[in-house]
Amino acid sequence: MSARGRLSGPVVDTSSSPFARLRPLPVTAVRLDDAFWGPRRQLVREVSLPLQYEYLERTGRLDNFRRAAGQQEGPFQGLYFNDSDVYKWLEAAAWSLATDPDPALDRLVDRVIADLAAAQQPDGYLDTYYILGNQAARWTDLPRTHELYCAGHLFHAAVAHFRATGKSTLLEVARRFADCICDTFGPEESGRQPGTDGHPEIEMALVELARVTGERRYLEQALYFLNARGYGYAGGDEYRQDHKPFRELDQMVGHAVRAVYLAAGAADLYTETGDPTLRETLERLWTDMVTAKLYVTGGIGARHEGESFGKPYELPNERAYAETCAAIGNVMWNWRMVLLTGEARFADLMELALYNGVLAGYSLDGRAYFYVNPLADDGSHRRQPWFSCACCPPNVARLLASLPGYLYSVSGQGVWIHLYAQGTAHITLPGGQQVRLQQHTRYPWEGGIEIEVDGAGEFSLFLRVPAWCEDGASVRVNGQVAAGQAPGSYVEVRRAWRRGDTLELSLPMPARRLESHPYVAENAGRVALARGPLIYCVEQADNPGVELRDLVLPDRAAISAE
């Protein structure tokens, strides 16, 4: 095993990536104990993961592996990509073990991994839909049956499990399958099969597998899969992100989850290769999405048809698709862009999608989910405990379980703070200096953040001032004004710190009206209300006896928060 495979590593490991500006902290370096994220992550651990495991058993997803291993009789059950739900659950469980060790969960994960390993074929292949069906047909329907997509989620789970526990049991399964894929796919002149998957995911997964193992062939394979797009191997259409070569893309089109997963994979490849054409394409796509195809919640995907982006400014409210997985993909892509650039605009969008696009898909009791997140509803749309296509529940779980890894990162200059939440971070600066930061805050309800510094020496703290902070932010160190900064940027506070120093960041949070671009016809004469990072809605439960469509907000009406 390569020395690069560090235990309890970050969600995305850029520690040796030559073109990444920032390196995130390991998941275990941050402890969240605030009243907002703490209970939600506790729900994932104590409620969502056990319930999701029950559904994996009840719906035959785990039995598919046991049958593929010859331990049970019976046919494949469910949708052809059901393996991926097991893998996402494993990734969520692994990140939960990283921050909150649980012997019972650890044993359960080991049992699931044993079932997966027993089902793996001698050549490394692992996809129960084909193992239990027609093995001769494997790799023959890449546009539709998600073989490489499922493999990608297996690789992400394996990397998380290795980093969280130090165990290589799942990582060895992933490496055997990755070797099988590398031996199978490539340019026709190499004697291998040309092709790429109809659902992107394998690209970012192979990059992360390369980072944890040191195997460059996995990185090269990820680049091949990206470069193979646009030539008809994955169906040749916008829906599957196969209508043009990646570097020729200038609009976010087609299936929204696939689009942002592909962009996230390309961002990972840029951090490793520095290919400027990848960076240029990512900037074009991001600008197109943010200026014309993004909901006020950070949700993406306007159309139910194809779960897809619509035309520019096609953003209906009641008919919005805005899949929870698409918001998760939006978080993942923007997180990678933050690490590449250190630019606050990407962290702003990550925060917007996290608070308003992802959390909307998760119930307060941790037992139910939205697949689709419309921005208006007549009361008939309700969260469900599970779905026949169950991509969203374990996807929410894996993101929230890994959330500590998204708050901080490190550069040669110092520590970057991207998200605000009460808790403690243990940080090792590039020179080996040890620093402990303690955040005290009621964010997102209040905009005051106090950071206690336990460490000595000269370094910078970079604090994100969100673009929504239109009244500007103020920074004090030990009670003395240190800096002010325009919204939408990071403010740098550099000094020779001493133990016990306190930094206070004040982000004014007046309620504010948001107006759509005038081309969004459905929102003519309408405003949205926001405060801090949160977008608010008017609900019937809060306004009994009132027809919500008749409500009017006068232009000069004062708005207070309570």
Side-chain angles (χ1 to χ4, degrees), residues 65 87 90 112-121 123-126 151 154-155 158 168-181 209 218:
F65 288 96
Y87 301 148
L90 277 171
V112 173
I113 292 172
D115 288 338
L116 270 58
Q120 189 167 32
Q121 302 300 285
D123 65 350
Y125 183 82
L126 182 55
L154 168 61
F155 301 164
S168 61
T169 47
L170 189 56
L171 189 64
E172 292 306 322
V173 172
R175 294 188 70 172
R176 287 196 294 273
F177 196 8
D179 290 341
C180 172
I181 289 169
L209 192 62
Y218 300 153

PDB file of all heavy atoms in Angstrom, residues 65 87 90 112-121 123-126 151 154-155 158 168-181 209 218:
ATOM      1  N   PHE A  65     -26.068  -9.590  -3.807  1.00  0.00           N
ATOM      2  CA  PHE A  65     -24.664  -9.977  -3.654  1.00  0.00           C
ATOM      3  C   PHE A  65     -24.552 -11.406  -3.127  1.00  0.00           C
ATOM      4  O   PHE A  65     -23.676 -12.173  -3.551  1.00  0.00           O
ATOM      5  CB  PHE A  65     -23.963  -8.990  -2.711  1.00  0.00           C
ATOM      6  CG  PHE A  65     -23.736  -7.637  -3.321  1.00  0.00           C
ATOM      7  CD1 PHE A  65     -24.628  -6.600  -3.107  1.00  0.00           C
ATOM      8  CD2 PHE A  65     -22.629  -7.396  -4.118  1.00  0.00           C
ATOM      9  CE1 PHE A  65     -24.432  -5.351  -3.668  1.00  0.00           C
ATOM     10  CE2 PHE A  65     -22.417  -6.148  -4.693  1.00  0.00           C
ATOM     11  CZ  PHE A  65     -23.327  -5.119  -4.470  1.00  0.00           C
ATOM     12  N   TYR A  87     -23.319   0.675  -2.121  1.00  0.00           N
ATOM     13  CA  TYR A  87     -22.010   1.328  -2.037  1.00  0.00           C
ATOM     14  C   TYR A  87     -22.109   2.702  -1.379  1.00  0.00           C
ATOM     15  O   TYR A  87     -21.246   3.088  -0.578  1.00  0.00           O
ATOM     16  CB  TYR A  87     -21.401   1.462  -3.434  1.00  0.00           C
ATOM     17  CG  TYR A  87     -21.206   0.151  -4.152  1.00  0.00           C
ATOM     18  CD1 TYR A  87     -21.299   0.068  -5.539  1.00  0.00           C
ATOM     19  CD2 TYR A  87     -20.915  -1.024  -3.453  1.00  0.00           C
ATOM     20  CE1 TYR A  87     -21.107  -1.126  -6.211  1.00  0.00           C
ATOM     21  CE2 TYR A  87     -20.727  -2.227  -4.111  1.00  0.00           C
ATOM     22  CZ  TYR A  87     -20.828  -2.276  -5.500  1.00  0.00           C
ATOM     23  OH  TYR A  87     -20.643  -3.467  -6.170  1.00  0.00           O
ATOM     24  N   LEU A  90     -22.421   2.233   2.267  1.00  0.00           N
ATOM     25  CA  LEU A  90     -21.124   1.891   2.850  1.00  0.00           C
ATOM     26  C   LEU A  90     -20.244   3.132   3.015  1.00  0.00           C
ATOM     27  O   LEU A  90     -19.557   3.285   4.035  1.00  0.00           O
ATOM     28  CB  LEU A  90     -20.406   0.867   1.968  1.00  0.00           C
ATOM     29  CG  LEU A  90     -20.786  -0.592   2.154  1.00  0.00           C
ATOM     30  CD1 LEU A  90     -20.151  -1.446   1.064  1.00  0.00           C
ATOM     31  CD2 LEU A  90     -20.361  -1.093   3.540  1.00  0.00           C
ATOM     32  N   VAL A 112     -21.095  -6.646   5.399  1.00  0.00           N
ATOM     33  CA  VAL A 112     -21.510  -6.253   4.052  1.00  0.00           C
ATOM     34  C   VAL A 112     -20.335  -6.365   3.090  1.00  0.00           C
ATOM     35  O   VAL A 112     -20.480  -6.856   1.959  1.00  0.00           O
ATOM     36  CB  VAL A 112     -22.088  -4.826   4.061  1.00  0.00           C
ATOM     37  CG1 VAL A 112     -22.363  -4.342   2.642  1.00  0.00           C
ATOM     38  CG2 VAL A 112     -23.365  -4.778   4.890  1.00  0.00           C
ATOM     39  N   ILE A 113     -19.161  -5.935   3.519  1.00  0.00           N
ATOM     40  CA  ILE A 113     -17.973  -6.035   2.664  1.00  0.00           C
ATOM     41  C   ILE A 113     -17.665  -7.489   2.342  1.00  0.00           C
ATOM     42  O   ILE A 113     -17.298  -7.830   1.200  1.00  0.00           O
ATOM     43  CB  ILE A 113     -16.775  -5.350   3.340  1.00  0.00           C
ATOM     44  CG1 ILE A 113     -17.005  -3.842   3.402  1.00  0.00           C
ATOM     45  CG2 ILE A 113     -15.473  -5.657   2.598  1.00  0.00           C
ATOM     46  CD1 ILE A 113     -15.965  -3.094   4.231  1.00  0.00           C
ATOM     47  N   ALA A 114     -17.826  -8.374   3.313  1.00  0.00           N
ATOM     48  CA  ALA A 114     -17.587  -9.799   3.060  1.00  0.00           C
ATOM     49  C   ALA A 114     -18.542 -10.330   2.001  1.00  0.00           C
ATOM     50  O   ALA A 114     -18.151 -11.141   1.139  1.00  0.00           O
ATOM     51  CB  ALA A 114     -17.726 -10.594   4.357  1.00  0.00           C
ATOM     52  N   ASP A 115     -19.801  -9.898   2.025  1.00  0.00           N
ATOM     53  CA  ASP A 115     -20.760 -10.319   1.004  1.00  0.00           C
ATOM     54  C   ASP A 115     -20.349  -9.805  -0.374  1.00  0.00           C
ATOM     55  O   ASP A 115     -20.472 -10.520  -1.383  1.00  0.00           O
ATOM     56  CB  ASP A 115     -22.162  -9.800   1.349  1.00  0.00           C
ATOM     57  CG  ASP A 115     -22.787 -10.538   2.521  1.00  0.00           C
ATOM     58  OD1 ASP A 115     -22.361 -11.677   2.803  1.00  0.00           O
ATOM     59  OD2 ASP A 115     -23.701  -9.971   3.158  1.00  0.00           O
ATOM     60  N   LEU A 116     -19.865  -8.562  -0.434  1.00  0.00           N
ATOM     61  CA  LEU A 116     -19.412  -8.011  -1.713  1.00  0.00           C
ATOM     62  C   LEU A 116     -18.215  -8.790  -2.245  1.00  0.00           C
ATOM     63  O   LEU A 116     -18.164  -9.151  -3.430  1.00  0.00           O
ATOM     64  CB  LEU A 116     -19.016  -6.537  -1.541  1.00  0.00           C
ATOM     65  CG  LEU A 116     -20.072  -5.471  -1.750  1.00  0.00           C
ATOM     66  CD1 LEU A 116     -21.273  -5.650  -0.835  1.00  0.00           C
ATOM     67  CD2 LEU A 116     -19.465  -4.078  -1.540  1.00  0.00           C
ATOM     68  N   ALA A 117     -17.247  -9.044  -1.359  1.00  0.00           N
ATOM     69  CA  ALA A 117     -16.032  -9.735  -1.780  1.00  0.00           C
ATOM     70  C   ALA A 117     -16.338 -11.143  -2.279  1.00  0.00           C
ATOM     71  O   ALA A 117     -15.729 -11.629  -3.244  1.00  0.00           O
ATOM     72  CB  ALA A 117     -15.031  -9.773  -0.631  1.00  0.00           C
ATOM     73  N   ALA A 118     -17.299 -11.805  -1.640  1.00  0.00           N
ATOM     74  CA  ALA A 118     -17.657 -13.170  -2.058  1.00  0.00           C
ATOM     75  C   ALA A 118     -18.302 -13.183  -3.428  1.00  0.00           C
ATOM     76  O   ALA A 118     -18.211 -14.187  -4.156  1.00  0.00           O
ATOM     77  CB  ALA A 118     -18.591 -13.790  -1.023  1.00  0.00           C
ATOM     78  N   ALA A 119     -18.975 -12.098  -3.801  1.00  0.00           N
ATOM     79  CA  ALA A 119     -19.651 -12.029  -5.103  1.00  0.00           C
ATOM     80  C   ALA A 119     -18.712 -11.644  -6.229  1.00  0.00           C
ATOM     81  O   ALA A 119     -19.057 -11.819  -7.406  1.00  0.00           O
ATOM     82  CB  ALA A 119     -20.796 -11.018  -5.034  1.00  0.00           C
ATOM     83  N   GLN A 120     -17.523 -11.126  -5.907  1.00  0.00           N
ATOM     84  CA  GLN A 120     -16.613 -10.670  -6.952  1.00  0.00           C
ATOM     85  C   GLN A 120     -16.109 -11.833  -7.789  1.00  0.00           C
ATOM     86  O   GLN A 120     -15.769 -12.902  -7.268  1.00  0.00           O
ATOM     87  CB  GLN A 120     -15.434  -9.910  -6.333  1.00  0.00           C
ATOM     88  CG  GLN A 120     -14.549  -9.209  -7.349  1.00  0.00           C
ATOM     89  CD  GLN A 120     -13.603  -8.221  -6.697  1.00  0.00           C
ATOM     90  OE1 GLN A 120     -13.149  -8.425  -5.560  1.00  0.00           O
ATOM     91  NE2 GLN A 120     -13.279  -7.135  -7.402  1.00  0.00           N
ATOM     92  N   GLN A 121     -16.064 -11.634  -9.096  1.00  0.00           N
ATOM     93  CA  GLN A 121     -15.644 -12.680 -10.031  1.00  0.00           C
ATOM     94  C   GLN A 121     -14.121 -12.811 -10.057  1.00  0.00           C
ATOM     95  O   GLN A 121     -13.397 -11.902  -9.656  1.00  0.00           O
ATOM     96  CB  GLN A 121     -16.181 -12.362 -11.415  1.00  0.00           C
ATOM     97  CG  GLN A 121     -17.696 -12.232 -11.463  1.00  0.00           C
ATOM     98  CD  GLN A 121     -18.400 -13.503 -11.018  1.00  0.00           C
ATOM     99  OE1 GLN A 121     -18.452 -14.486 -11.753  1.00  0.00           O
ATOM    100  NE2 GLN A 121     -18.945 -13.492  -9.808  1.00  0.00           N
ATOM    101  N   ASP A 123     -11.917 -12.449 -12.276  1.00  0.00           N
ATOM    102  CA  ASP A 123     -11.186 -11.402 -12.990  1.00  0.00           C
ATOM    103  C   ASP A 123     -11.374 -10.020 -12.377  1.00  0.00           C
ATOM    104  O   ASP A 123     -10.908  -9.023 -12.921  1.00  0.00           O
ATOM    105  CB  ASP A 123     -11.571 -11.379 -14.466  1.00  0.00           C
ATOM    106  CG  ASP A 123     -13.034 -10.979 -14.687  1.00  0.00           C
ATOM    107  OD1 ASP A 123     -13.794 -10.896 -13.703  1.00  0.00           O
ATOM    108  OD2 ASP A 123     -13.415 -10.765 -15.855  1.00  0.00           O
ATOM    109  N   GLY A 124     -12.091  -9.950 -11.247  1.00  0.00           N
ATOM    110  CA  GLY A 124     -12.296  -8.681 -10.566  1.00  0.00           C
ATOM    111  C   GLY A 124     -13.631  -8.032 -10.836  1.00  0.00           C
ATOM    112  O   GLY A 124     -14.017  -7.078 -10.144  1.00  0.00           O
ATOM    113  N   TYR A 125     -14.361  -8.521 -11.816  1.00  0.00           N
ATOM    114  CA  TYR A 125     -15.648  -7.906 -12.182  1.00  0.00           C
ATOM    115  C   TYR A 125     -16.648  -8.041 -11.041  1.00  0.00           C
ATOM    116  O   TYR A 125     -16.704  -9.063 -10.349  1.00  0.00           O
ATOM    117  CB  TYR A 125     -16.201  -8.591 -13.427  1.00  0.00           C
ATOM    118  CG  TYR A 125     -17.495  -7.998 -13.930  1.00  0.00           C
ATOM    119  CD1 TYR A 125     -17.503  -6.866 -14.724  1.00  0.00           C
ATOM    120  CD2 TYR A 125     -18.720  -8.587 -13.611  1.00  0.00           C
ATOM    121  CE1 TYR A 125     -18.687  -6.326 -15.195  1.00  0.00           C
ATOM    122  CE2 TYR A 125     -19.914  -8.059 -14.067  1.00  0.00           C
ATOM    123  CZ  TYR A 125     -19.894  -6.918 -14.861  1.00  0.00           C
ATOM    124  OH  TYR A 125     -21.075  -6.384 -15.306  1.00  0.00           O
ATOM    125  N   LEU A 126     -17.447  -6.975 -10.836  1.00  0.00           N
ATOM    126  CA  LEU A 126     -18.448  -7.017  -9.767  1.00  0.00           C
ATOM    127  C   LEU A 126     -19.633  -6.137 -10.141  1.00  0.00           C
ATOM    128  O   LEU A 126     -19.592  -4.911 -10.000  1.00  0.00           O
ATOM    129  CB  LEU A 126     -17.847  -6.551  -8.431  1.00  0.00           C
ATOM    130  CG  LEU A 126     -18.773  -6.582  -7.219  1.00  0.00           C
ATOM    131  CD1 LEU A 126     -19.375  -7.969  -7.022  1.00  0.00           C
ATOM    132  CD2 LEU A 126     -18.035  -6.127  -5.958  1.00  0.00           C
ATOM    133  N   ALA A 151     -19.483   0.979 -10.327  1.00  0.00           N
ATOM    134  CA  ALA A 151     -18.084   0.770  -9.944  1.00  0.00           C
ATOM    135  C   ALA A 151     -17.526   2.018  -9.267  1.00  0.00           C
ATOM    136  O   ALA A 151     -16.800   1.930  -8.270  1.00  0.00           O
ATOM    137  CB  ALA A 151     -17.254   0.415 -11.176  1.00  0.00           C
ATOM    138  N   LEU A 154     -18.557   2.167  -5.724  1.00  0.00           N
ATOM    139  CA  LEU A 154     -17.777   1.185  -4.970  1.00  0.00           C
ATOM    140  C   LEU A 154     -16.406   1.761  -4.623  1.00  0.00           C
ATOM    141  O   LEU A 154     -15.941   1.645  -3.474  1.00  0.00           O
ATOM    142  CB  LEU A 154     -17.615  -0.098  -5.784  1.00  0.00           C
ATOM    143  CG  LEU A 154     -16.588  -1.111  -5.253  1.00  0.00           C
ATOM    144  CD1 LEU A 154     -16.954  -1.603  -3.861  1.00  0.00           C
ATOM    145  CD2 LEU A 154     -16.444  -2.287  -6.219  1.00  0.00           C
ATOM    146  N   PHE A 155     -15.755   2.415  -5.591  1.00  0.00           N
ATOM    147  CA  PHE A 155     -14.420   2.955  -5.337  1.00  0.00           C
ATOM    148  C   PHE A 155     -14.465   4.059  -4.279  1.00  0.00           C
ATOM    149  O   PHE A 155     -13.595   4.134  -3.412  1.00  0.00           O
ATOM    150  CB  PHE A 155     -13.811   3.500  -6.635  1.00  0.00           C
ATOM    151  CG  PHE A 155     -13.675   2.473  -7.731  1.00  0.00           C
ATOM    152  CD1 PHE A 155     -13.455   2.865  -9.041  1.00  0.00           C
ATOM    153  CD2 PHE A 155     -13.768   1.113  -7.467  1.00  0.00           C
ATOM    154  CE1 PHE A 155     -13.332   1.944 -10.051  1.00  0.00           C
ATOM    155  CE2 PHE A 155     -13.645   0.162  -8.475  1.00  0.00           C
ATOM    156  CZ  PHE A 155     -13.426   0.583  -9.779  1.00  0.00           C
ATOM    157  N   ALA A 158     -14.806   2.432  -0.960  1.00  0.00           N
ATOM    158  CA  ALA A 158     -13.567   1.773  -0.558  1.00  0.00           C
ATOM    159  C   ALA A 158     -12.544   2.777  -0.041  1.00  0.00           C
ATOM    160  O   ALA A 158     -11.867   2.529   0.971  1.00  0.00           O
ATOM    161  CB  ALA A 158     -12.995   0.993  -1.744  1.00  0.00           C
ATOM    162  N   SER A 168      -8.128  -2.582   4.648  1.00  0.00           N
ATOM    163  CA  SER A 168      -8.016  -2.603   3.192  1.00  0.00           C
ATOM    164  C   SER A 168      -8.952  -3.613   2.543  1.00  0.00           C
ATOM    165  O   SER A 168      -8.841  -3.872   1.341  1.00  0.00           O
ATOM    166  CB  SER A 168      -6.568  -2.907   2.786  1.00  0.00           C
ATOM    167  OG  SER A 168      -6.170  -4.182   3.265  1.00  0.00           O
ATOM    168  N   THR A 169      -9.877  -4.193   3.306  1.00  0.00           N
ATOM    169  CA  THR A 169     -10.725  -5.255   2.752  1.00  0.00           C
ATOM    170  C   THR A 169     -11.548  -4.761   1.559  1.00  0.00           C
ATOM    171  O   THR A 169     -11.591  -5.422   0.511  1.00  0.00           O
ATOM    172  CB  THR A 169     -11.671  -5.785   3.839  1.00  0.00           C
ATOM    173  OG1 THR A 169     -12.281  -4.674   4.534  1.00  0.00           O
ATOM    174  CG2 THR A 169     -10.916  -6.635   4.846  1.00  0.00           C
ATOM    175  N   LEU A 170     -12.201  -3.614   1.689  1.00  0.00           N
ATOM    176  CA  LEU A 170     -12.999  -3.105   0.589  1.00  0.00           C
ATOM    177  C   LEU A 170     -12.106  -2.470  -0.480  1.00  0.00           C
ATOM    178  O   LEU A 170     -12.412  -2.532  -1.676  1.00  0.00           O
ATOM    179  CB  LEU A 170     -14.016  -2.082   1.102  1.00  0.00           C
ATOM    180  CG  LEU A 170     -15.062  -1.615   0.088  1.00  0.00           C
ATOM    181  CD1 LEU A 170     -15.840  -2.783  -0.508  1.00  0.00           C
ATOM    182  CD2 LEU A 170     -16.030  -0.618   0.728  1.00  0.00           C
ATOM    183  N   LEU A 171     -10.999  -1.898  -0.060  1.00  0.00           N
ATOM    184  CA  LEU A 171     -10.080  -1.301  -1.025  1.00  0.00           C
ATOM    185  C   LEU A 171      -9.512  -2.351  -1.967  1.00  0.00           C
ATOM    186  O   LEU A 171      -9.336  -2.092  -3.170  1.00  0.00           O
ATOM    187  CB  LEU A 171      -8.952  -0.576  -0.281  1.00  0.00           C
ATOM    188  CG  LEU A 171      -8.025   0.275  -1.149  1.00  0.00           C
ATOM    189  CD1 LEU A 171      -8.784   1.429  -1.787  1.00  0.00           C
ATOM    190  CD2 LEU A 171      -6.862   0.812  -0.312  1.00  0.00           C
ATOM    191  N   GLU A 172      -9.237  -3.543  -1.460  1.00  0.00           N
ATOM    192  CA  GLU A 172      -8.715  -4.601  -2.329  1.00  0.00           C
ATOM    193  C   GLU A 172      -9.775  -5.056  -3.342  1.00  0.00           C
ATOM    194  O   GLU A 172      -9.462  -5.350  -4.495  1.00  0.00           O
ATOM    195  CB  GLU A 172      -8.220  -5.783  -1.481  1.00  0.00           C
ATOM    196  CG  GLU A 172      -6.981  -5.472  -0.657  1.00  0.00           C
ATOM    197  CD  GLU A 172      -5.829  -4.929  -1.497  1.00  0.00           C
ATOM    198  OE1 GLU A 172      -5.635  -5.411  -2.633  1.00  0.00           O
ATOM    199  OE2 GLU A 172      -5.141  -4.010  -1.028  1.00  0.00           O
ATOM    200  N   VAL A 173     -11.038  -5.102  -2.905  1.00  0.00           N
ATOM    201  CA  VAL A 173     -12.122  -5.404  -3.852  1.00  0.00           C
ATOM    202  C   VAL A 173     -12.153  -4.341  -4.947  1.00  0.00           C
ATOM    203  O   VAL A 173     -12.255  -4.644  -6.144  1.00  0.00           O
ATOM    204  CB  VAL A 173     -13.480  -5.457  -3.115  1.00  0.00           C
ATOM    205  CG1 VAL A 173     -14.631  -5.569  -4.117  1.00  0.00           C
ATOM    206  CG2 VAL A 173     -13.509  -6.627  -2.140  1.00  0.00           C
ATOM    207  N   ALA A 174     -12.053  -3.071  -4.534  1.00  0.00           N
ATOM    208  CA  ALA A 174     -12.093  -1.970  -5.497  1.00  0.00           C
ATOM    209  C   ALA A 174     -10.912  -2.027  -6.455  1.00  0.00           C
ATOM    210  O   ALA A 174     -11.070  -1.811  -7.668  1.00  0.00           O
ATOM    211  CB  ALA A 174     -12.116  -0.640  -4.747  1.00  0.00           C
ATOM    212  N   ARG A 175      -9.743  -2.331  -5.963  1.00  0.00           N
ATOM    213  CA  ARG A 175      -8.562  -2.370  -6.837  1.00  0.00           C
ATOM    214  C   ARG A 175      -8.662  -3.493  -7.860  1.00  0.00           C
ATOM    215  O   ARG A 175      -8.278  -3.309  -9.021  1.00  0.00           O
ATOM    216  CB  ARG A 175      -7.297  -2.507  -5.994  1.00  0.00           C
ATOM    217  CG  ARG A 175      -7.009  -1.296  -5.121  1.00  0.00           C
ATOM    218  CD  ARG A 175      -5.653  -1.382  -4.460  1.00  0.00           C
ATOM    219  NE  ARG A 175      -4.577  -1.232  -5.440  1.00  0.00           N
ATOM    220  CZ  ARG A 175      -3.293  -1.107  -5.113  1.00  0.00           C
ATOM    221  NH1 ARG A 175      -2.932  -1.130  -3.828  1.00  0.00           N
ATOM    222  NH2 ARG A 175      -2.365  -0.970  -6.031  1.00  0.00           N
ATOM    223  N   ARG A 176      -9.176  -4.629  -7.439  1.00  0.00           N
ATOM    224  CA  ARG A 176      -9.321  -5.722  -8.409  1.00  0.00           C
ATOM    225  C   ARG A 176     -10.312  -5.340  -9.509  1.00  0.00           C
ATOM    226  O   ARG A 176     -10.085  -5.643 -10.686  1.00  0.00           O
ATOM    227  CB  ARG A 176      -9.774  -7.000  -7.695  1.00  0.00           C
ATOM    228  CG  ARG A 176      -8.690  -7.654  -6.855  1.00  0.00           C
ATOM    229  CD  ARG A 176      -9.050  -9.085  -6.490  1.00  0.00           C
ATOM    230  NE  ARG A 176     -10.205  -9.162  -5.604  1.00  0.00           N
ATOM    231  CZ  ARG A 176     -10.138  -9.080  -4.270  1.00  0.00           C
ATOM    232  NH1 ARG A 176      -8.969  -8.916  -3.679  1.00  0.00           N
ATOM    233  NH2 ARG A 176     -11.226  -9.171  -3.532  1.00  0.00           N
ATOM    234  N   PHE A 177     -11.400  -4.678  -9.116  1.00  0.00           N
ATOM    235  CA  PHE A 177     -12.374  -4.255 -10.116  1.00  0.00           C
ATOM    236  C   PHE A 177     -11.790  -3.146 -10.992  1.00  0.00           C
ATOM    237  O   PHE A 177     -11.980  -3.121 -12.216  1.00  0.00           O
ATOM    238  CB  PHE A 177     -13.656  -3.787  -9.433  1.00  0.00           C
ATOM    239  CG  PHE A 177     -14.848  -3.699 -10.337  1.00  0.00           C
ATOM    240  CD1 PHE A 177     -14.816  -4.170 -11.647  1.00  0.00           C
ATOM    241  CD2 PHE A 177     -16.030  -3.142  -9.886  1.00  0.00           C
ATOM    242  CE1 PHE A 177     -15.941  -4.082 -12.482  1.00  0.00           C
ATOM    243  CE2 PHE A 177     -17.153  -3.055 -10.698  1.00  0.00           C
ATOM    244  CZ  PHE A 177     -17.099  -3.515 -12.003  1.00  0.00           C
ATOM    245  N   ALA A 178     -11.069  -2.212 -10.387  1.00  0.00           N
ATOM    246  CA  ALA A 178     -10.449  -1.141 -11.166  1.00  0.00           C
ATOM    247  C   ALA A 178      -9.431  -1.698 -12.160  1.00  0.00           C
ATOM    248  O   ALA A 178      -9.349  -1.233 -13.309  1.00  0.00           O
ATOM    249  CB  ALA A 178      -9.779  -0.131 -10.232  1.00  0.00           C
ATOM    250  N   ASP A 179      -8.664  -2.691 -11.752  1.00  0.00           N
ATOM    251  CA  ASP A 179      -7.710  -3.313 -12.671  1.00  0.00           C
ATOM    252  C   ASP A 179      -8.438  -3.979 -13.832  1.00  0.00           C
ATOM    253  O   ASP A 179      -7.992  -3.914 -14.989  1.00  0.00           O
ATOM    254  CB  ASP A 179      -6.855  -4.333 -11.926  1.00  0.00           C
ATOM    255  CG  ASP A 179      -5.875  -3.681 -10.951  1.00  0.00           C
ATOM    256  OD1 ASP A 179      -5.595  -2.473 -11.108  1.00  0.00           O
ATOM    257  OD2 ASP A 179      -5.412  -4.378 -10.031  1.00  0.00           O
ATOM    258  N   CYS A 180      -9.566  -4.624 -13.525  1.00  0.00           N
ATOM    259  CA  CYS A 180     -10.376  -5.241 -14.575  1.00  0.00           C
ATOM    260  C   CYS A 180     -10.850  -4.182 -15.571  1.00  0.00           C
ATOM    261  O   CYS A 180     -10.794  -4.395 -16.801  1.00  0.00           O
ATOM    262  CB  CYS A 180     -11.573  -5.953 -13.938  1.00  0.00           C
ATOM    263  SG  CYS A 180     -12.815  -6.584 -15.096  1.00  0.00           S
ATOM    264  N   ILE A 181     -11.289  -3.048 -15.063  1.00  0.00           N
ATOM    265  CA  ILE A 181     -11.772  -1.969 -15.932  1.00  0.00           C
ATOM    266  C   ILE A 181     -10.630  -1.412 -16.768  1.00  0.00           C
ATOM    267  O   ILE A 181     -10.782  -1.174 -17.983  1.00  0.00           O
ATOM    268  CB  ILE A 181     -12.424  -0.871 -15.068  1.00  0.00           C
ATOM    269  CG1 ILE A 181     -13.755  -1.383 -14.503  1.00  0.00           C
ATOM    270  CG2 ILE A 181     -12.636   0.408 -15.864  1.00  0.00           C
ATOM    271  CD1 ILE A 181     -14.365  -0.492 -13.438  1.00  0.00           C
ATOM    272  N   LEU A 209      -9.196   7.015  -6.204  1.00  0.00           N
ATOM    273  CA  LEU A 209      -8.540   5.726  -6.003  1.00  0.00           C
ATOM    274  C   LEU A 209      -7.054   5.838  -6.332  1.00  0.00           C
ATOM    275  O   LEU A 209      -6.213   5.236  -5.641  1.00  0.00           O
ATOM    276  CB  LEU A 209      -9.216   4.664  -6.879  1.00  0.00           C
ATOM    277  CG  LEU A 209      -8.864   3.212  -6.593  1.00  0.00           C
ATOM    278  CD1 LEU A 209      -9.270   2.815  -5.179  1.00  0.00           C
ATOM    279  CD2 LEU A 209      -9.541   2.292  -7.615  1.00  0.00           C
ATOM    280  N   TYR A 218      -4.869   4.382 -12.775  1.00  0.00           N
ATOM    281  CA  TYR A 218      -6.248   4.758 -12.474  1.00  0.00           C
ATOM    282  C   TYR A 218      -6.520   6.202 -12.910  1.00  0.00           C
ATOM    283  O   TYR A 218      -7.600   6.513 -13.420  1.00  0.00           O
ATOM    284  CB  TYR A 218      -6.542   4.599 -10.984  1.00  0.00           C
ATOM    285  CG  TYR A 218      -6.362   3.193 -10.450  1.00  0.00           C
ATOM    286  CD1 TYR A 218      -6.044   2.964  -9.120  1.00  0.00           C
ATOM    287  CD2 TYR A 218      -6.499   2.074 -11.282  1.00  0.00           C
ATOM    288  CE1 TYR A 218      -5.882   1.679  -8.617  1.00  0.00           C
ATOM    289  CE2 TYR A 218      -6.328   0.783 -10.790  1.00  0.00           C
ATOM    290  CZ  TYR A 218      -6.010   0.605  -9.455  1.00  0.00           C
ATOM    291  OH  TYR A 218      -5.845  -0.670  -8.961  1.00  0.00           O
TER     292      TYR A 218
END
